[in-house]
Structure formats: C-alpha cells, structure tokens
C-alpha cells in the first residue's frame, strides 16, 4: 500500500515530485512500480513534464493499472515518511541478505572492513531540516560563551602554531584543509609536523599512500631525537642513542595513529577511517596525498574531483577535520611562488577546501641550501574563515622538520 500511495502522489502532486530526485527505483518490489518510478525520475531530472498521459504513453500495456494507481492517492502529506519507511525496508532486507554471504574465515581486519562497508550501505538517508539563522546564531554564541567559561579563545582545535591559529582559528569540525606542495618540496614533512604539533589536544590519524609505516616512523624518530634521517635509515646510531631516543619519545608522549594503505581505493580508505574513529576516536585525519586516491570517473580530472568531494563529505558526515595533502604542478613561470591555480588536475580541490596552505621554500630551487632554511613561508592561499597571509617558518632538511618562527 505504501508503494501505491507514493507513486500516486508522484503522479498527482507537485509537492511530492520534489522527492523524486532522491528516490531509488530499487526500493520498489513490484516490477512495474520500479519502471514507472525510474521513468518519472528521469523526466523530473531532465525538466520534462510528468503527467498521467505521458506515463501512459510510456507504458501502453499497463493503462488500466496506471489508472488505478492515479486514483489510489489518499494524501501527499505522508510522502516523506513513506519514502523513509520504504528505504528502510529495502535496506533491511538487503543487509540481511548480504550478512549471509560473509566469509568468516577471512582475516579479522578484512572482516571488519567488509562489515563496515555493508553497514555504511544500509544507512537510511533522512533529509536534513532547515533552520532559522537566528537559532543557529544563538547556538554559536552559546558555544563561544562555554569556551570563554573554560578559558578557551579558539573555537577549533589548536594547530600548535600560534600564527596559524590566529588566521584560521584552529582545526574545525567538518572542514577540509589542503596542503599543496611540489614534488620533493616537503609537503609530507609539513603534514607530519602539523600532526605531531596538534596531537596534544586531539586524536589524530595519518594515512600515507606513498610511504610505509616504517618510513613514517623514521621521520617521527628524527623529529624527536634530532638525528639525521640518513643515520636512522642506515642504522648509523649507537645503542646509547637508541636509549636516549626512547626516553625522549616516551617523555614527550605525543601519539598519532598511522596507516599505510596497500589499497588506494577511495571507498576502502574512507571505510578504514570510519572504522578507526569507531575504535579509537578521531578529530583530525591527514591523507598523503589526494591525487593518489583511486576514485570513480572517466578522466583523471573527474577522478581527482570525485576524491576531493568525497573527502569534504567525509569531514562533514563524521564531524572531523580532513587535512589532504596535494601535489602541485611543476612551475613553468618565472615567479615560482605557489598559487591556487597550481593545484594539480582539478579546480574542485580549491572549491571544496576551506583552507589551502602552501609551504614555500626559496632554497628548494637552489643548489646550495642552509642547514636551517630561515626564509621559508607557509602561505595561506585560501581561508574561508578569515584573511590570507604568509607565515614565516623554518625548515631543517636533515630532520625534515618545519617550525613556526615566533
């Protein structure tokens, strides 16, 4: 009866047809109903007229059935509730069927990933309700008042860098931040430094698609112990050094989760991030780097655009900050300072990002470099929350370490 009332509402009511765009024909168990809803949705999306005569012309063998459907409408006031119930019943049945196909002999991590993917697919989409801006503004003021009571000035999580906090207000839930750098310019190093500098106040995960967990851990050791990277890679340290390193690391107690993914499939990585959050809690996730993600699309541009949109969606759905590292085009101009147009392969990245940061090292383009490059900058090229600026920073290549200059 629900299916009949929904289709009758679509045939009779302009108000009900608004919901056609989010209606999946697969929710309908009757073959005719499935085909009729699909036809009406296609007409709606193409801006064509939906009328009884048009639908009858498309299904001439079912005129009698369609006439009965047209007359069966009772009210369109329950259309939204009916669609939610229909989707619920469909996904409940589909979930039960999928659970019977799970191979329990597989590895635990694979089993957890598969279960998480199945559960994600079974979520019922409930339309978000609009709010009066005065009510939302009141909630914002309440949050600010509570922060003042706690002695906090930032609304977001502190980055650990004073000037970066000043300009972007810390890391905010639902935001996507992009760190863009040219190949070999140190974007991964900056990402790791920012991850370690904020993990005192947040649960942080670093997902690397380029380096292994061991390579990331070597940089972590170099960061704390001030031992050159090549010495760690070549085991050119003493047992006394190892003891000092251990003492330093454990006294600092700065912990982040690290994940090196053998698969670059975007869906699988998003599932793993959600699973990590469910197990450990999560405020901020770093992804190194965006263009390596394998997403759907006919062209490279489409795939990168889809990856960018999905990461922004992940931030909003999970109420976390997503910090995506991104590769920039190699410069072919006299002025080598990075700009937003250098973001490689997609303008969608710039559009989705709330904040875009570029580490800029003039000495990167020189054959001779100082041990500590004091002329580096962190360029805030886009800032949805405030002004753009250039922040003075330093880079110490032997430890792959960035620091803010105060």
């Amino acid at each position: 009866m629900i299916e009949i009332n929904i289709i009758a509402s679509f045939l009779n009511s302009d108000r009900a047809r608004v919901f056609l765009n989010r209606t999946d024909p697969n929710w309908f168990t009757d073959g005719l109903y499935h085909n009729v809803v699909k036809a009406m949705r296609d007409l709606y999306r193409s801006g064509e007229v939906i009328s009884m005569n048009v639908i009858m012309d498309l299904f001439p063998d079912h005129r009698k059935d369609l006439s009965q459907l047209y007359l069966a409408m009772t009210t369109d006031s329950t259309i939204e509730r009916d669609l939610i119930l229909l989707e619920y019943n469909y996904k409940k049945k589909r979930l039960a069927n999928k659970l019977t196909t799970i191979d329990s002999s597989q590895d635990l991590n694979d089993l957890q990933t598969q279960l998480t993917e199945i559960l994600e697919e079974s979520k019922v989409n409930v339309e978000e309700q609009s709010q009066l801006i005065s009510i939302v503004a009141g909630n914002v003021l309440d949050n600010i008042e509570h922060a003042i009571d706690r002695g906090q000035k930032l609304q977001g999580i502190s980055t650990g860098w004073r000037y970066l906090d000043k300009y972007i207000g810390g890391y905010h839930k639902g935001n996507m931040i992009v760190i863009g750098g040219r190949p070999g310019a140190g974007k991964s190093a900056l990402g790791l430094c920012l991850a370690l500098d904020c993990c005192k106040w947040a649960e942080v995960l670093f997902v690397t698609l380029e380096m292994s967990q061991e390579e990331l851990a070597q940089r972590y050791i170099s960061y704390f112990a001030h031992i050159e990277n090549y010495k760690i890679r070549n085991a050119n340290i003493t047992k006394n050094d190892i003891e000092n390193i251990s003492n330093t690391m454990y006294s600092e107690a700065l912990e982040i989760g690290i994940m090196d993914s053998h698969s670059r499939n975007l869906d699988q990585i998003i599932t793993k991030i959600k699973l990590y959050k469910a197990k450990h809690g999560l405020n901020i996730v770093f992804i190194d780097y965006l263009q390596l993600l394998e997403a759907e699309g006919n062209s490279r541009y489409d795939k990168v655009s889809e990856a960018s949109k999905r990461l922004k969606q992940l931030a909003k759905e999970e109420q976390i900050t997503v910090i995506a590292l991104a590769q920039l085009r190699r410069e072919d101009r006299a002025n080598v300072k990075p700009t937003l147009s250098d973001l490689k392969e997609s303008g969608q990245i710039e559009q989705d990002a709330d904040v875009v940061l570029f580490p800029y090292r003039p000495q990167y383009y020189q054959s001779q470099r100082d041990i500590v490059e004091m002329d580096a900058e962190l360029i805030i090229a886009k800032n949805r929350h405030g002004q753009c600026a250039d922040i003075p920073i330093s880079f110490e290549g032997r430890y792959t370490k960035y620091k803010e200059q105060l």
Side-chain angles (χ1 to χ4, degrees), residues 165-179:
D165 280 346
K166 173 185 174 181
Y167 290 114
I168 71 171
Y171 298 132
H172 293 262
K173 295 176 182 178
N175 277 193
M176 183 170 88
I177 296 174
V178 171
I179 299 174

Side-chain angles (χ1 to χ4, degrees), residues 176-183 187-188 207-210 263-266 269 286-296 299-309 311 322-330 339-350 356-358:
M176 183 170 88
I177 296 174
V178 171
I179 299 174
R182 307 200 194 282
K187 61 182 179 296
S188 298
V207 180
T208 172
L209 307 177
E210 199 171 32
S263 169
R264 294 178 175 180
N265 179 271
L266 178 61
I269 289 168
F286 289 76
I287 299 174
D288 185 17
Y289 60 92
L290 193 153
Q291 286 97 335
L292 290 178
L293 292 168
E294 295 174 357
E296 293 182 358
S299 66
R300 183 66 186 152
Y301 182 94
D302 292 340
K303 290 176 181 179
V304 173
S305 296
E306 177 66 14
S308 176
K309 285 187 282 189
L311 290 182
V322 172
I323 301 179
L325 280 60
Q327 197 164 93
L328 301 183
R329 297 184 184 90
R330 292 190 181 275
T339 65
L340 289 172
S341 62
D342 292 329
L343 283 169
K344 193 176 181 181
E345 292 166 319
S346 177
Q348 188 69 41
I349 301 174
E350 178 188 346
V356 178
L357 306 174
F358 296 134

Side-chain angles (χ1 to χ4, degrees), residues 335-391:
N335 183 5
V336 294
K337 205 167 185 177
T339 65
L340 289 172
S341 62
D342 292 329
L343 283 169
K344 193 176 181 181
E345 292 166 319
S346 177
Q348 188 69 41
I349 301 174
E350 178 188 346
Q351 182 176 327
D352 292 328
D354 296 280
V355 175
V356 178
L357 306 174
F358 296 134
Y360 172 57
R361 295 166 41 213
Q363 295 185 43
Y364 168 75
Y365 303 95
Q366 302 170 9
S367 56
Q368 297 294 320
R369 299 171 187 168
D370 297 334
I371 294 174
V372 181
E373 299 174 24
M374 299 299 293
D375 55 352
E377 297 175 349
L378 181 62
I379 301 168
I380 304 175
K382 178 184 176 181
N383 184 6
R384 200 164 272 160
H385 308 298
Q387 71 183 90
C388 298
D390 296 347
I391 299 173

Side-chain angles (χ1 to χ4, degrees), residues 1-13 16 28 33 37 40 68-83 86:
M1 187 63 190
I2 289 177
E3 294 187 13
I4 293 173
N5 192 60
I6 289 172
I7 296 175
S9 296
F10 286 157
L11 286 168
N12 285 278
S13 168
F28 295 80
Y33 299 167
V37 170
M40 285 194 288
Q68 290 175 347
L69 281 174
Y70 184 76
L71 297 172
M73 178 180 167
T74 54
T75 176
D76 65 359
S77 62
T78 61
I79 182 70
E80 190 169 8
R81 184 201 67 189
D82 290 346
L83 283 169
L86 191 66

Side-chain angles (χ1 to χ4, degrees), residues 35-52:
N35 293 334
V36 169
V37 170
K38 184 178 185 302
M40 285 194 288
R41 189 181 67 176
D42 292 343
L43 289 168
Y44 182 82
R45 287 179 173 177
S46 61
E48 297 180 43
V49 174
I50 299 174
S51 68
M52 194 62 199

Side-chain angles (χ1 to χ4, degrees), residues 158-353:
S158 175
T159 65
W161 290 25
R162 190 190 348 175
Y163 288 114
L164 193 54
D165 280 346
K166 173 185 174 181
Y167 290 114
I168 71 171
Y171 298 132
H172 293 262
K173 295 176 182 178
N175 277 193
M176 183 170 88
I177 296 174
V178 171
I179 299 174
R182 307 200 194 282
K187 61 182 179 296
S188 298
L190 177 60
L192 183 58
C193 289
L194 288 173
L196 292 170
D197 286 340
C198 74
C199 69
K200 295 176 184 177
W201 306 281
E203 296 295 334
V204 180
L205 173 65
F206 197 104
V207 180
T208 172
L209 307 177
E210 199 171 32
M211 293 186 288
S212 67
Q213 290 183 350
E214 288 73 21
E215 289 171 317
L216 207 58
Q218 288 171 0
R219 292 195 175 192
Y220 175 81
I221 292 169
S222 179
Y223 177 94
F224 282 112
H226 291 92
I227 294 176
E228 289 90 335
N229 273 298
Y230 78 89
K231 289 185 178 180
I232 298 169
R233 286 196 303 271
N234 299 331
N236 188 17
I237 55 177
T238 66
K239 288 187 176 181
N240 189 51
D241 289 332
I242 293 174
E243 185 177 349
N244 291 335
I245 292 168
S246 299
N247 291 335
T248 302
M249 284 195 304
Y250 293 124
S251 65
E252 292 281 352
L254 298 181
E255 284 287 2
I256 63 171
I258 58 174
M259 181 191 299
D260 60 346
S261 180
H262 299 294
S263 169
R264 294 178 175 180
N265 179 271
L266 178 61
D267 289 327
Q268 291 184 20
I269 289 168
I270 287 176
T271 297
K272 288 178 180 178
I273 291 169
K274 290 182 176 181
L275 188 59
Y276 182 94
K277 183 188 176 189
K279 285 183 176 180
H280 309 287
L282 184 62
N283 304 112
I284 303 164
V285 59
F286 289 76
I287 299 174
D288 185 17
Y289 60 92
L290 193 153
Q291 286 97 335
L292 290 178
L293 292 168
E294 295 174 357
E296 293 182 358
N298 296 322
S299 66
R300 183 66 186 152
Y301 182 94
D302 292 340
K303 290 176 181 179
V304 173
S305 296
E306 177 66 14
S308 176
K309 285 187 282 189
R310 292 285 302 282
L311 290 182
K312 175 62 178 177
Q313 182 182 355
L314 173 67
K316 294 181 73 174
E317 284 181 356
E318 297 298 317
Q319 284 297 282
I320 59 176
T321 305
V322 172
I323 301 179
L325 280 60
Q327 197 164 93
L328 301 183
R329 297 184 184 90
R330 292 190 181 275
E331 64 286 338
D332 56 359
R333 59 181 189 273
N335 183 5
V336 294
K337 205 167 185 177
T339 65
L340 289 172
S341 62
D342 292 329
L343 283 169
K344 193 176 181 181
E345 292 166 319
S346 177
Q348 188 69 41
I349 301 174
E350 178 188 346
Q351 182 176 327
D352 292 328

